[in-house]
């Protein structure tokens, strides 16, 4: 999917905040909407590295269906396993994101990295730094489109 006109405007609005951030390079999801967002927010023209590990969770047979057509609250619950054809299990998805963070911490110590990714990935990142809630609801770490969160690994 590409960015909507609203998405383009949200990314353009985020540029002002990104301009105030001191970052060394960008790691971006290879999905089209993330790459376009990256083009718009990477106002400093820093190097961009694409990484497949930070693509949005594959929802399999539920792709393109409205949230109301399936048990969406459980979709982002770490304690709940869906059995839907092609859907990435939540624990596998979270592990991929956590492995990604561990990897970049090791490969790029002391680097300031701007990550351009998707809401689901942001939920897993939030859980990495803040823990998985007891009720398993990763939606507490959801982001608004183009919202910027700061995390430190030190």
């Amino acid at each position: 999917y590409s960015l909507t006109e609203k998405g383009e405007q949200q990314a353009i609005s985020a540029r002002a905040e990104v301009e105030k951030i001191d970052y060394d390079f960008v790691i971006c999801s290879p999905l089209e909407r993330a790459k376009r967002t990256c083009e718009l927010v990477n106002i400093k023209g820093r190097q961009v590295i694409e990484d497949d590990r930070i693509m949005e969770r594959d929802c399999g047979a539920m792709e393109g269906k409205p949230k109301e057509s399936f048990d969406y609250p459980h979709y982002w619950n770490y304690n709940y396993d869906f059995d839907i054809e092609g859907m990435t299990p939540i624990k596998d998805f979270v592990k991929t994101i956590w492995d990604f963070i561990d990897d970049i911490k090791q490969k790029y110590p002391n680097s300031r990295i701007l990550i351009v990714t998707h809401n689901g990935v942001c939920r897993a990142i939030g859980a990495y730094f803040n823990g998985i809630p007891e009720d398993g609801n990763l939606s507490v770490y959801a982001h608004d489109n183009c919202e910027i969160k700061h995390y430190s690994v030190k």
Side-chain angles (χ1 to χ4, degrees), residues 1 11 15 17 26 29 35 37 50 57 59 69 73 101 104 126-127 134 152:
Y1 301 104
R15 276 198 298 219
E17 188 172 347
V26 182
S29 161
K35 290 183 352 181
T37 299
E50 288 184 18
R57 180 181 178 198
C59 61
S69 68
I101 296 168
I104 64 172
E134 192 173 311
S152 177

Side-chain angles (χ1 to χ4, degrees), residues 55-59 74-76 82 87-90 93 121:
M55 291 192 305
E56 187 59 281
R57 180 181 178 198
D58 188 341
C59 61
H74 281 126
Y75 182 75
W76 290 112
F82 271 101
M87 182 179 288
T88 304
I90 188 71
F93 177 75
V121 175

Side-chain angles (χ1 to χ4, degrees), residues 14-126:
R15 276 198 298 219
E17 188 172 347
V18 172
E19 190 170 25
K20 299 175 194 171
I21 298 171
D22 193 14
Y23 61 99
D24 300 315
F25 60 95
V26 182
I27 300 178
C28 183
S29 161
L31 296 181
E32 184 179 333
R33 63 188 184 272
K35 290 183 352 181
R36 178 63 181 145
T37 299
C38 184
E39 289 172 11
L40 293 169
V41 301
N42 185 17
I43 195 163
K44 296 179 182 183
R46 300 289 197 259
Q47 175 190 9
V48 177
I49 300 168
E50 288 184 18
D51 196 310
D52 289 351
R53 295 174 294 178
I54 58 171
M55 291 192 305
E56 187 59 281
R57 180 181 178 198
D58 188 341
C59 61
M62 302 312 297
E63 181 68 35
K65 297 194 176 171
K67 295 176 192 177
E68 300 77 30
S69 68
F70 64 104
D71 191 357
Y72 189 76
H74 281 126
Y75 182 75
W76 290 112
N77 191 305
Y78 189 80
N79 299 331
Y80 187 85
D81 288 321
F82 271 101
D83 187 20
I84 295 176
E85 181 183 342
M87 182 179 288
T88 304
I90 188 71
K91 290 180 181 172
D92 293 352
F93 177 75
V94 168
K95 182 181 182 328
T96 298
I97 304 308
W98 289 17
D99 288 348
F100 162 79
I101 296 168
D102 287 341
D103 185 45
I104 64 172
K105 283 169 40 179
Q106 182 180 8
K107 282 185 180 174
Y108 309 110
N110 304 313
S111 292
R112 296 158 302 194
I113 306 167
L114 178 66
I115 298 174
V116 180
T117 189
H118 311 278
N119 196 316
V121 175
C122 293
R123 293 169 196 235
I125 291 171

